PDB file of all heavy atoms in Angstrom:
ATOM      1  N   VAL A   1      72.449  99.340  56.661  1.00 98.00           N
ATOM      2  CA  VAL A   1      72.401 100.776  56.411  1.00 98.00           C
ATOM      3  C   VAL A   1      72.407 101.432  57.788  1.00 98.00           C
ATOM      4  O   VAL A   1      71.560 101.113  58.628  1.00 98.00           O
ATOM      5  CB  VAL A   1      71.148 101.181  55.619  1.00 98.00           C
ATOM      6  CG1 VAL A   1      71.130 102.691  55.364  1.00 98.00           C
ATOM      7  CG2 VAL A   1      71.063 100.412  54.302  1.00 98.00           C
ATOM      8  N   ILE A   2      73.360 102.341  58.028  1.00 98.00           N
ATOM      9  CA  ILE A   2      73.586 102.859  59.377  1.00 98.00           C
ATOM     10  C   ILE A   2      73.660 104.385  59.350  1.00 98.00           C
ATOM     11  O   ILE A   2      74.455 104.964  58.606  1.00 98.00           O
ATOM     12  CB  ILE A   2      74.908 102.316  59.973  1.00 98.00           C
ATOM     13  CG1 ILE A   2      74.988 100.789  59.837  1.00 98.00           C
ATOM     14  CG2 ILE A   2      75.068 102.743  61.422  1.00 98.00           C
ATOM     15  CD1 ILE A   2      76.391 100.228  60.045  1.00 98.00           C
ATOM     16  N   SER A   3      72.854 105.032  60.169  1.00 98.00           N
ATOM     17  CA  SER A   3      73.011 106.464  60.403  1.00 98.00           C
ATOM     18  C   SER A   3      73.842 106.653  61.673  1.00 98.00           C
ATOM     19  O   SER A   3      73.771 105.837  62.597  1.00 98.00           O
ATOM     20  CB  SER A   3      71.657 107.162  60.546  1.00 98.00           C
ATOM     21  OG  SER A   3      70.944 106.670  61.657  1.00 98.00           O
ATOM     22  N   TYR A   4      74.614 107.758  61.731  1.00 98.00           N
ATOM     23  CA  TYR A   4      75.490 107.973  62.879  1.00 98.00           C
ATOM     24  C   TYR A   4      76.018 109.406  62.876  1.00 98.00           C
ATOM     25  O   TYR A   4      75.846 110.158  61.896  1.00 98.00           O
ATOM     26  CB  TYR A   4      76.660 106.983  62.875  1.00 98.00           C
ATOM     27  CG  TYR A   4      77.539 107.019  61.631  1.00 98.00           C
ATOM     28  CD1 TYR A   4      78.778 107.657  61.624  1.00 98.00           C
ATOM     29  CD2 TYR A   4      77.128 106.411  60.450  1.00 98.00           C
ATOM     30  CE1 TYR A   4      79.581 107.687  60.487  1.00 98.00           C
ATOM     31  CE2 TYR A   4      77.923 106.432  59.309  1.00 98.00           C
ATOM     32  CZ  TYR A   4      79.139 107.069  59.330  1.00 98.00           C
ATOM     33  OH  TYR A   4      79.920 107.105  58.197  1.00 98.00           O
ATOM     34  N   TYR A   5      76.656 109.764  63.977  1.00 98.00           N
ATOM     35  CA  TYR A   5      77.181 111.118  64.173  1.00 98.00           C
ATOM     36  C   TYR A   5      78.684 111.141  63.938  1.00 98.00           C
ATOM     37  O   TYR A   5      79.415 110.291  64.454  1.00 98.00           O
ATOM     38  CB  TYR A   5      76.858 111.566  65.593  1.00 98.00           C
ATOM     39  CG  TYR A   5      77.325 112.955  65.961  1.00 98.00           C
ATOM     40  CD1 TYR A   5      76.960 114.071  65.221  1.00 98.00           C
ATOM     41  CD2 TYR A   5      78.098 113.156  67.104  1.00 98.00           C
ATOM     42  CE1 TYR A   5      77.354 115.338  65.591  1.00 98.00           C
ATOM     43  CE2 TYR A   5      78.504 114.425  67.496  1.00 98.00           C
ATOM     44  CZ  TYR A   5      78.128 115.513  66.730  1.00 98.00           C
ATOM     45  OH  TYR A   5      78.529 116.782  67.100  1.00 98.00           O
ATOM     46  N   ASP A   6      79.134 112.096  63.149  1.00 98.00           N
ATOM     47  CA  ASP A   6      80.560 112.357  62.914  1.00 98.00           C
ATOM     48  C   ASP A   6      80.933 113.526  63.814  1.00 98.00           C
ATOM     49  O   ASP A   6      80.690 114.689  63.480  1.00 98.00           O
ATOM     50  CB  ASP A   6      80.764 112.702  61.434  1.00 98.00           C
ATOM     51  CG  ASP A   6      82.189 113.143  61.111  1.00 98.00           C
ATOM     52  OD1 ASP A   6      82.998 113.345  62.038  1.00 98.00           O
ATOM     53  OD2 ASP A   6      82.483 113.317  59.911  1.00 98.00           O
ATOM     54  N   SER A   7      81.495 113.217  64.988  1.00 97.00           N
ATOM     55  CA  SER A   7      81.772 114.282  65.952  1.00 97.00           C
ATOM     56  C   SER A   7      83.000 115.111  65.582  1.00 97.00           C
ATOM     57  O   SER A   7      83.156 116.235  66.068  1.00 97.00           O
ATOM     58  CB  SER A   7      81.931 113.707  67.358  1.00 97.00           C
ATOM     59  OG  SER A   7      82.966 112.768  67.409  1.00 97.00           O
ATOM     60  N   SER A   8      83.871 114.595  64.703  1.00 97.00           N
ATOM     61  CA  SER A   8      85.002 115.406  64.236  1.00 97.00           C
ATOM     62  C   SER A   8      84.514 116.614  63.436  1.00 97.00           C
ATOM     63  O   SER A   8      85.004 117.731  63.605  1.00 97.00           O
ATOM     64  CB  SER A   8      85.945 114.571  63.359  1.00 97.00           C
ATOM     65  OG  SER A   8      86.612 113.605  64.113  1.00 97.00           O
ATOM     66  N   ASN A   9      83.542 116.367  62.563  1.00 97.00           N
ATOM     67  CA  ASN A   9      83.015 117.435  61.710  1.00 97.00           C
ATOM     68  C   ASN A   9      81.640 117.921  62.152  1.00 97.00           C
ATOM     69  O   ASN A   9      81.086 118.837  61.554  1.00 97.00           O
ATOM     70  CB  ASN A   9      82.938 116.929  60.262  1.00 97.00           C
ATOM     71  CG  ASN A   9      84.301 116.588  59.703  1.00 97.00           C
ATOM     72  OD1 ASN A   9      85.149 117.446  59.540  1.00 97.00           O
ATOM     73  ND2 ASN A   9      84.523 115.307  59.439  1.00 97.00           N
ATOM     74  N   ARG A  10      81.085 117.244  63.187  1.00 98.00           N
ATOM     75  CA  ARG A  10      79.756 117.576  63.730  1.00 98.00           C
ATOM     76  C   ARG A  10      78.676 117.461  62.654  1.00 98.00           C
ATOM     77  O   ARG A  10      77.857 118.342  62.460  1.00 98.00           O
ATOM     78  CB  ARG A  10      79.771 118.968  64.383  1.00 98.00           C
ATOM     79  CG  ARG A  10      80.732 119.065  65.578  1.00 98.00           C
ATOM     80  CD  ARG A  10      80.652 120.380  66.279  1.00 98.00           C
ATOM     81  NE  ARG A  10      81.155 121.473  65.449  1.00 98.00           N
ATOM     82  CZ  ARG A  10      81.182 122.745  65.818  1.00 98.00           C
ATOM     83  NH1 ARG A  10      80.685 123.110  67.003  1.00 98.00           N
ATOM     84  NH2 ARG A  10      81.666 123.669  65.017  1.00 98.00           N
ATOM     85  N   ASP A  11      78.724 116.321  61.954  1.00 98.00           N
ATOM     86  CA  ASP A  11      77.818 116.070  60.829  1.00 98.00           C
ATOM     87  C   ASP A  11      76.981 114.811  61.074  1.00 98.00           C
ATOM     88  O   ASP A  11      77.384 113.908  61.812  1.00 98.00           O
ATOM     89  CB  ASP A  11      78.612 115.855  59.530  1.00 98.00           C
ATOM     90  CG  ASP A  11      79.352 117.098  59.063  1.00 98.00           C
ATOM     91  OD1 ASP A  11      78.986 118.204  59.503  1.00 98.00           O
ATOM     92  OD2 ASP A  11      80.292 116.942  58.257  1.00 98.00           O
ATOM     93  N   LEU A  12      75.847 114.760  60.382  1.00 98.00           N
ATOM     94  CA  LEU A  12      75.063 113.532  60.280  1.00 98.00           C
ATOM     95  C   LEU A  12      75.547 112.755  59.064  1.00 98.00           C
ATOM     96  O   LEU A  12      75.652 113.308  57.971  1.00 98.00           O
ATOM     97  CB  LEU A  12      73.579 113.863  60.116  1.00 98.00           C
ATOM     98  CG  LEU A  12      72.659 112.691  59.743  1.00 98.00           C
ATOM     99  CD1 LEU A  12      72.580 111.675  60.876  1.00 98.00           C
ATOM    100  CD2 LEU A  12      71.273 113.193  59.364  1.00 98.00           C
ATOM    101  N   LYS A  13      75.839 111.471  59.273  1.00 98.00           N
ATOM    102  CA  LYS A  13      76.315 110.634  58.167  1.00 98.00           C
ATOM    103  C   LYS A  13      75.481 109.361  58.067  1.00 98.00           C
ATOM    104  O   LYS A  13      74.800 108.960  59.023  1.00 98.00           O
ATOM    105  CB  LYS A  13      77.800 110.277  58.345  1.00 98.00           C
ATOM    106  CG  LYS A  13      78.745 111.469  58.269  1.00 98.00           C
ATOM    107  CD  LYS A  13      80.207 111.057  58.341  1.00 98.00           C
ATOM    108  CE  LYS A  13      80.716 110.444  57.053  1.00 98.00           C
ATOM    109  NZ  LYS A  13      82.175 110.179  57.080  1.00 98.00           N
ATOM    110  N   VAL A  14      75.561 108.734  56.892  1.00 98.00           N
ATOM    111  CA  VAL A  14      74.930 107.435  56.687  1.00 98.00           C
ATOM    112  C   VAL A  14      75.894 106.536  55.920  1.00 98.00           C
ATOM    113  O   VAL A  14      76.594 106.989  55.005  1.00 98.00           O
ATOM    114  CB  VAL A  14      73.578 107.554  55.942  1.00 98.00           C
ATOM    115  CG1 VAL A  14      73.758 108.037  54.519  1.00 98.00           C
ATOM    116  CG2 VAL A  14      72.810 106.245  55.968  1.00 98.00           C
ATOM    117  N   ALA A  15      75.974 105.280  56.353  1.00 98.00           N
ATOM    118  CA  ALA A  15      76.784 104.274  55.679  1.00 98.00           C
ATOM    119  C   ALA A  15      75.848 103.258  55.051  1.00 98.00           C
ATOM    120  O   ALA A  15      74.995 102.691  55.735  1.00 98.00           O
ATOM    121  CB  ALA A  15      77.715 103.581  56.664  1.00 98.00           C
ATOM    122  N   VAL A  16      76.013 103.038  53.749  1.00 98.00           N
ATOM    123  CA  VAL A  16      75.211 102.046  53.029  1.00 98.00           C
ATOM    124  C   VAL A  16      76.163 100.937  52.590  1.00 98.00           C
ATOM    125  O   VAL A  16      77.050 101.162  51.762  1.00 98.00           O
ATOM    126  CB  VAL A  16      74.486 102.663  51.825  1.00 98.00           C
ATOM    127  CG1 VAL A  16      73.681 101.603  51.086  1.00 98.00           C
ATOM    128  CG2 VAL A  16      73.585 103.806  52.271  1.00 98.00           C
ATOM    129  N   CYS A  17      76.001  99.754  53.176  1.00 98.00           N
ATOM    130  CA  CYS A  17      76.921  98.650  52.908  1.00 98.00           C
ATOM    131  C   CYS A  17      76.562  97.956  51.597  1.00 98.00           C
ATOM    132  O   CYS A  17      75.385  97.770  51.281  1.00 98.00           O
ATOM    133  CB  CYS A  17      76.888  97.654  54.054  1.00 98.00           C
ATOM    134  SG  CYS A  17      77.361  98.391  55.642  1.00 98.00           S
ATOM    135  N   GLY A  18      77.590  97.548  50.852  1.00 98.00           N
ATOM    136  CA  GLY A  18      77.402  96.891  49.568  1.00 98.00           C
ATOM    137  C   GLY A  18      77.322  95.380  49.667  1.00 98.00           C
ATOM    138  O   GLY A  18      77.102  94.697  48.662  1.00 98.00           O
ATOM    139  N   ASP A  19      77.493  94.845  50.891  1.00 98.00           N
ATOM    140  CA  ASP A  19      77.401  93.408  51.121  1.00 98.00           C
ATOM    141  C   ASP A  19      77.015  93.185  52.573  1.00 98.00           C
ATOM    142  O   ASP A  19      76.985  94.132  53.377  1.00 98.00           O
ATOM    143  CB  ASP A  19      78.734  92.720  50.793  1.00 98.00           C
ATOM    144  CG  ASP A  19      79.898  93.350  51.530  1.00 98.00           C
ATOM    145  OD1 ASP A  19      80.174  92.930  52.662  1.00 98.00           O
ATOM    146  OD2 ASP A  19      80.511  94.290  50.971  1.00 98.00           O
ATOM    147  N   ALA A  20      76.719  91.954  52.931  1.00 97.00           N
ATOM    148  CA  ALA A  20      76.171  91.651  54.251  1.00 97.00           C
ATOM    149  C   ALA A  20      77.117  91.980  55.393  1.00 97.00           C
ATOM    150  O   ALA A  20      76.678  92.349  56.488  1.00 97.00           O
ATOM    151  CB  ALA A  20      75.771  90.173  54.314  1.00 97.00           C
ATOM    152  N   THR A  21      78.441  91.868  55.170  1.00 97.00           N
ATOM    153  CA  THR A  21      79.405  92.148  56.238  1.00 97.00           C
ATOM    154  C   THR A  21      80.048  93.522  56.106  1.00 97.00           C
ATOM    155  O   THR A  21      80.968  93.847  56.840  1.00 97.00           O
ATOM    156  CB  THR A  21      80.505  91.073  56.265  1.00 97.00           C
ATOM    157  OG1 THR A  21      81.147  91.011  54.983  1.00 97.00           O
ATOM    158  CG2 THR A  21      79.923  89.704  56.597  1.00 97.00           C
ATOM    159  N   CYS A  22      79.590  94.302  55.151  1.00 97.00           N
ATOM    160  CA  CYS A  22      80.019  95.704  54.987  1.00 97.00           C
ATOM    161  C   CYS A  22      81.511  95.848  54.654  1.00 97.00           C
ATOM    162  O   CYS A  22      82.163  96.792  55.092  1.00 97.00           O
ATOM    163  CB  CYS A  22      79.669  96.525  56.221  1.00 97.00           C
ATOM    164  SG  CYS A  22      79.300  98.265  55.820  1.00 97.00           S
ATOM    165  N   THR A  23      82.040  94.921  53.862  1.00 96.00           N
ATOM    166  CA  THR A  23      83.426  95.087  53.396  1.00 96.00           C
ATOM    167  C   THR A  23      83.512  96.187  52.337  1.00 96.00           C
ATOM    168  O   THR A  23      84.558  96.797  52.165  1.00 96.00           O
ATOM    169  CB  THR A  23      83.982  93.767  52.829  1.00 96.00           C
ATOM    170  OG1 THR A  23      83.096  93.279  51.811  1.00 96.00           O
ATOM    171  CG2 THR A  23      84.102  92.721  53.929  1.00 96.00           C
ATOM    172  N   THR A  24      82.412  96.426  51.629  1.00 98.00           N
ATOM    173  CA  THR A  24      82.317  97.576  50.727  1.00 98.00           C
ATOM    174  C   THR A  24      81.145  98.444  51.193  1.00 98.00           C
ATOM    175  O   THR A  24      80.148  97.926  51.712  1.00 98.00           O
ATOM    176  CB  THR A  24      82.081  97.150  49.268  1.00 98.00           C
ATOM    177  OG1 THR A  24      80.836  96.445  49.176  1.00 98.00           O
ATOM    178  CG2 THR A  24      83.210  96.268  48.770  1.00 98.00           C
ATOM    179  N   LYS A  25      81.279  99.754  51.048  1.00 97.00           N
ATOM    180  CA  LYS A  25      80.229 100.640  51.535  1.00 97.00           C
ATOM    181  C   LYS A  25      80.350 102.012  50.892  1.00 97.00           C
ATOM    182  O   LYS A  25      81.404 102.381  50.355  1.00 97.00           O
ATOM    183  CB  LYS A  25      80.276 100.803  53.050  1.00 97.00           C
ATOM    184  CG  LYS A  25      81.540 101.497  53.590  1.00 97.00           C
ATOM    185  CD  LYS A  25      82.590 100.525  54.002  1.00 97.00           C
ATOM    186  CE  LYS A  25      83.840 101.143  54.575  1.00 97.00           C
ATOM    187  NZ  LYS A  25      84.832 100.153  55.009  1.00 97.00           N
ATOM    188  N   THR A  26      79.269 102.742  50.959  1.00 98.00           N
ATOM    189  CA  THR A  26      79.225 104.141  50.544  1.00 98.00           C
ATOM    190  C   THR A  26      78.931 104.979  51.772  1.00 98.00           C
ATOM    191  O   THR A  26      77.950 104.731  52.492  1.00 98.00           O
ATOM    192  CB  THR A  26      78.131 104.372  49.490  1.00 98.00           C
ATOM    193  OG1 THR A  26      78.393 103.559  48.349  1.00 98.00           O
ATOM    194  CG2 THR A  26      78.089 105.830  49.058  1.00 98.00           C
ATOM    195  N   LEU A  27      79.807 105.962  52.042  1.00 98.00           N
ATOM    196  CA  LEU A  27      79.635 106.844  53.191  1.00 98.00           C
ATOM    197  C   LEU A  27      79.212 108.216  52.694  1.00 98.00           C
ATOM    198  O   LEU A  27      79.876 108.800  51.837  1.00 98.00           O
ATOM    199  CB  LEU A  27      80.942 106.964  53.986  1.00 98.00           C
ATOM    200  CG  LEU A  27      81.598 105.641  54.425  1.00 98.00           C
ATOM    201  CD1 LEU A  27      82.900 105.917  55.151  1.00 98.00           C
ATOM    202  CD2 LEU A  27      80.659 104.818  55.289  1.00 98.00           C
ATOM    203  N   THR A  28      78.114 108.741  53.221  1.00 98.00           N
ATOM    204  CA  THR A  28      77.564 110.005  52.751  1.00 98.00           C
ATOM    205  C   THR A  28      77.312 110.944  53.923  1.00 98.00           C
ATOM    206  O   THR A  28      76.766 110.521  54.954  1.00 98.00           O
ATOM    207  CB  THR A  28      76.227 109.776  52.011  1.00 98.00           C
ATOM    208  OG1 THR A  28      76.424 108.846  50.945  1.00 98.00           O
ATOM    209  CG2 THR A  28      75.685 111.079  51.446  1.00 98.00           C
ATOM    210  N   THR A  29      77.731 112.188  53.767  1.00 98.00           N
ATOM    211  CA  THR A  29      77.364 113.230  54.731  1.00 98.00           C
ATOM    212  C   THR A  29      75.971 113.729  54.365  1.00 98.00           C
ATOM    213  O   THR A  29      75.769 114.270  53.279  1.00 98.00           O
ATOM    214  CB  THR A  29      78.376 114.378  54.722  1.00 98.00           C
ATOM    215  OG1 THR A  29      79.660 113.876  55.111  1.00 98.00           O
ATOM    216  CG2 THR A  29      77.961 115.485  55.683  1.00 98.00           C
ATOM    217  N   VAL A  30      75.030 113.552  55.276  1.00 98.00           N
ATOM    218  CA  VAL A  30      73.632 113.879  55.002  1.00 98.00           C
ATOM    219  C   VAL A  30      73.326 115.327  55.366  1.00 98.00           C
ATOM    220  O   VAL A  30      72.629 116.031  54.633  1.00 98.00           O
ATOM    221  CB  VAL A  30      72.700 112.922  55.768  1.00 98.00           C
ATOM    222  CG1 VAL A  30      71.233 113.252  55.518  1.00 98.00           C
ATOM    223  CG2 VAL A  30      72.996 111.472  55.378  1.00 98.00           C
ATOM    224  N   ASP A  31      73.833 115.782  56.515  1.00 98.00           N
ATOM    225  CA  ASP A  31      73.607 117.161  56.963  1.00 98.00           C
ATOM    226  C   ASP A  31      74.885 117.641  57.637  1.00 98.00           C
ATOM    227  O   ASP A  31      75.451 116.931  58.476  1.00 98.00           O
ATOM    228  CB  ASP A  31      72.427 117.221  57.927  1.00 98.00           C
ATOM    229  CG  ASP A  31      71.950 118.650  58.200  1.00 98.00           C
ATOM    230  OD1 ASP A  31      72.625 119.608  57.803  1.00 98.00           O
ATOM    231  OD2 ASP A  31      70.873 118.798  58.818  1.00 98.00           O
ATOM    232  N   SER A  32      75.347 118.834  57.256  1.00 97.00           N
ATOM    233  CA  SER A  32      76.590 119.388  57.805  1.00 97.00           C
ATOM    234  C   SER A  32      76.400 120.827  58.271  1.00 97.00           C
ATOM    235  O   SER A  32      77.362 121.596  58.324  1.00 97.00           O
ATOM    236  CB  SER A  32      77.705 119.314  56.759  1.00 97.00           C
ATOM    237  OG  SER A  32      77.342 120.023  55.589  1.00 97.00           O
ATOM    238  N   ALA A  33      75.171 121.191  58.626  1.00 92.00           N
ATOM    239  CA  ALA A  33      74.865 122.567  59.032  1.00 92.00           C
ATOM    240  C   ALA A  33      75.312 122.803  60.468  1.00 92.00           C
ATOM    241  O   ALA A  33      74.530 122.659  61.411  1.00 92.00           O
ATOM    242  CB  ALA A  33      73.376 122.849  58.873  1.00 92.00           C
ATOM    243  N   VAL A  34      76.571 123.124  60.643  1.00 92.00           N
ATOM    244  CA  VAL A  34      77.233 123.458  61.918  1.00 92.00           C
ATOM    245  C   VAL A  34      77.342 122.219  62.813  1.00 92.00           C
ATOM    246  O   VAL A  34      78.317 121.488  62.706  1.00 92.00           O
ATOM    247  CB  VAL A  34      76.542 124.633  62.645  1.00 92.00           C
ATOM    248  CG1 VAL A  34      77.386 125.084  63.850  1.00 92.00           C
ATOM    249  CG2 VAL A  34      76.351 125.809  61.688  1.00 92.00           C
ATOM    250  N   ASP A  35      76.383 121.942  63.688  1.00 96.00           N
ATOM    251  CA  ASP A  35      76.481 120.787  64.582  1.00 96.00           C
ATOM    252  C   ASP A  35      75.161 120.020  64.555  1.00 96.00           C
ATOM    253  O   ASP A  35      74.193 120.376  65.228  1.00 96.00           O
ATOM    254  CB  ASP A  35      76.787 121.240  66.011  1.00 96.00           C
ATOM    255  CG  ASP A  35      77.127 120.076  66.931  1.00 96.00           C
ATOM    256  OD1 ASP A  35      77.105 118.913  66.471  1.00 96.00           O
ATOM    257  OD2 ASP A  35      77.420 120.318  68.121  1.00 96.00           O
ATOM    258  N   VAL A  36      75.127 118.940  63.790  1.00 97.00           N
ATOM    259  CA  VAL A  36      73.904 118.161  63.585  1.00 97.00           C
ATOM    260  C   VAL A  36      74.228 116.664  63.575  1.00 97.00           C
ATOM    261  O   VAL A  36      75.335 116.279  63.220  1.00 97.00           O
ATOM    262  CB  VAL A  36      73.213 118.512  62.244  1.00 97.00           C
ATOM    263  CG1 VAL A  36      72.600 119.901  62.305  1.00 97.00           C
ATOM    264  CG2 VAL A  36      74.183 118.415  61.075  1.00 97.00           C
ATOM    265  N   GLY A  37      73.256 115.846  64.010  1.00 97.00           N
ATOM    266  CA  GLY A  37      73.415 114.410  63.810  1.00 97.00           C
ATOM    267  C   GLY A  37      73.424 113.544  65.037  1.00 97.00           C
ATOM    268  O   GLY A  37      73.537 112.313  64.919  1.00 97.00           O
ATOM    269  N   GLU A  38      73.284 114.118  66.217  1.00 98.00           N
ATOM    270  CA  GLU A  38      73.179 113.287  67.412  1.00 98.00           C
ATOM    271  C   GLU A  38      71.773 112.675  67.493  1.00 98.00           C
ATOM    272  O   GLU A  38      70.841 113.151  66.858  1.00 98.00           O
ATOM    273  CB  GLU A  38      73.459 114.114  68.659  1.00 98.00           C
ATOM    274  CG  GLU A  38      74.882 114.652  68.742  1.00 98.00           C
ATOM    275  CD  GLU A  38      75.083 115.547  69.951  1.00 98.00           C
ATOM    276  OE1 GLU A  38      74.414 116.597  70.031  1.00 98.00           O
ATOM    277  OE2 GLU A  38      75.904 115.194  70.808  1.00 98.00           O
ATOM    278  N   TYR A  39      71.664 111.607  68.294  1.00 98.00           N
ATOM    279  CA  TYR A  39      70.369 110.956  68.591  1.00 98.00           C
ATOM    280  C   TYR A  39      69.643 110.510  67.323  1.00 98.00           C
ATOM    281  O   TYR A  39      68.456 110.725  67.158  1.00 98.00           O
ATOM    282  CB  TYR A  39      69.480 111.898  69.400  1.00 98.00           C
ATOM    283  CG  TYR A  39      70.096 112.343  70.700  1.00 98.00           C
ATOM    284  CD1 TYR A  39      70.646 113.619  70.831  1.00 98.00           C
ATOM    285  CD2 TYR A  39      70.149 111.481  71.790  1.00 98.00           C
ATOM    286  CE1 TYR A  39      71.226 114.026  72.024  1.00 98.00           C
ATOM    287  CE2 TYR A  39      70.726 111.878  72.984  1.00 98.00           C
ATOM    288  CZ  TYR A  39      71.272 113.159  73.094  1.00 98.00           C
ATOM    289  OH  TYR A  39      71.856 113.559  74.280  1.00 98.00           O
ATOM    290  N   THR A  40      70.355 109.850  66.414  1.00 98.00           N
ATOM    291  CA  THR A  40      69.741 109.431  65.149  1.00 98.00           C
ATOM    292  C   THR A  40      68.824 108.227  65.328  1.00 98.00           C
ATOM    293  O   THR A  40      69.026 107.377  66.198  1.00 98.00           O
ATOM    294  CB  THR A  40      70.799 109.076  64.086  1.00 98.00           C
ATOM    295  OG1 THR A  40      71.351 107.789  64.368  1.00 98.00           O
ATOM    296  CG2 THR A  40      71.911 110.097  64.024  1.00 98.00           C
ATOM    297  N   SER A  41      67.810 108.171  64.463  1.00 98.00           N
ATOM    298  CA  SER A  41      66.946 106.996  64.324  1.00 98.00           C
ATOM    299  C   SER A  41      66.661 106.836  62.845  1.00 98.00           C
ATOM    300  O   SER A  41      66.252 107.795  62.180  1.00 98.00           O
ATOM    301  CB  SER A  41      65.657 107.163  65.115  1.00 98.00           C
ATOM    302  OG  SER A  41      64.856 105.995  65.027  1.00 98.00           O
ATOM    303  N   LEU A  42      66.893 105.643  62.309  1.00 98.00           N
ATOM    304  CA  LEU A  42      66.819 105.402  60.866  1.00 98.00           C
ATOM    305  C   LEU A  42      65.825 104.302  60.541  1.00 98.00           C
ATOM    306  O   LEU A  42      65.775 103.270  61.215  1.00 98.00           O
ATOM    307  CB  LEU A  42      68.195 105.040  60.325  1.00 98.00           C
ATOM    308  CG  LEU A  42      68.309 104.639  58.852  1.00 98.00           C
ATOM    309  CD1 LEU A  42      69.620 105.131  58.265  1.00 98.00           C
ATOM    310  CD2 LEU A  42      68.205 103.114  58.674  1.00 98.00           C
ATOM    311  N   VAL A  43      65.051 104.521  59.478  1.00 98.00           N
ATOM    312  CA  VAL A  43      64.236 103.470  58.860  1.00 98.00           C
ATOM    313  C   VAL A  43      64.403 103.589  57.351  1.00 98.00           C
ATOM    314  O   VAL A  43      64.865 104.621  56.834  1.00 98.00           O
ATOM    315  CB  VAL A  43      62.742 103.579  59.238  1.00 98.00           C
ATOM    316  CG1 VAL A  43      62.540 103.368  60.721  1.00 98.00           C
ATOM    317  CG2 VAL A  43      62.162 104.906  58.791  1.00 98.00           C
ATOM    318  N   LEU A  44      64.035 102.541  56.637  1.00 98.00           N
ATOM    319  CA  LEU A  44      64.037 102.571  55.182  1.00 98.00           C
ATOM    320  C   LEU A  44      62.601 102.657  54.698  1.00 98.00           C
ATOM    321  O   LEU A  44      61.725 101.938  55.198  1.00 98.00           O
ATOM    322  CB  LEU A  44      64.728 101.329  54.615  1.00 98.00           C
ATOM    323  CG  LEU A  44      66.180 101.100  55.063  1.00 98.00           C
ATOM    324  CD1 LEU A  44      66.736  99.833  54.433  1.00 98.00           C
ATOM    325  CD2 LEU A  44      67.063 102.298  54.733  1.00 98.00           C
ATOM    326  N   ASN A  45      62.350 103.528  53.721  1.00 98.00           N
ATOM    327  CA  ASN A  45      60.993 103.661  53.209  1.00 98.00           C
ATOM    328  C   ASN A  45      60.687 102.568  52.175  1.00 98.00           C
ATOM    329  O   ASN A  45      61.513 101.672  51.945  1.00 98.00           O
ATOM    330  CB  ASN A  45      60.746 105.069  52.662  1.00 98.00           C
ATOM    331  CG  ASN A  45      61.622 105.412  51.461  1.00 98.00           C
ATOM    332  OD1 ASN A  45      62.163 104.532  50.789  1.00 98.00           O
ATOM    333  ND2 ASN A  45      61.752 106.700  51.190  1.00 98.00           N
ATOM    334  N   ALA A  46      59.529 102.640  51.551  1.00 97.00           N
ATOM    335  CA  ALA A  46      59.101 101.592  50.615  1.00 97.00           C
ATOM    336  C   ALA A  46      60.035 101.466  49.417  1.00 97.00           C
ATOM    337  O   ALA A  46      60.119 100.404  48.793  1.00 97.00           O
ATOM    338  CB  ALA A  46      57.674 101.866  50.138  1.00 97.00           C
TER     339      ALA A  46
END
């Protein structure tokens, strides 16, 4: 599970892989309020 910055759209995104090598995945825009998403740090909750 990876958080990262989409500099084309200036968005915060997250990729959730469906398998160990990420051949399948779900990509989601988490925040798109103008320019957001640099310096990400991600953890998974309980």
Side-chain angles (χ1 to χ4, degrees):
V1 180
I2 310 164
S3 62
Y4 58 102
Y5 180 56
D6 174 351
S7 59
S8 291
N9 297 295
R10 298 185 292 179
D11 294 341
L12 169 67
K13 295 184 75 174
V14 66
V16 179
C17 300
D19 54 88
T21 57
C22 211
T23 54
T24 62
K25 65 265 182 178
T26 300
L27 307 178
T28 304
T29 298
V30 179
D31 192 350
S32 58
V34 189
D35 189 359
V36 289
E38 295 176 298
Y39 302 103
T40 77
S41 183
L42 175 145
V43 296
L44 302 180
N45 64 20

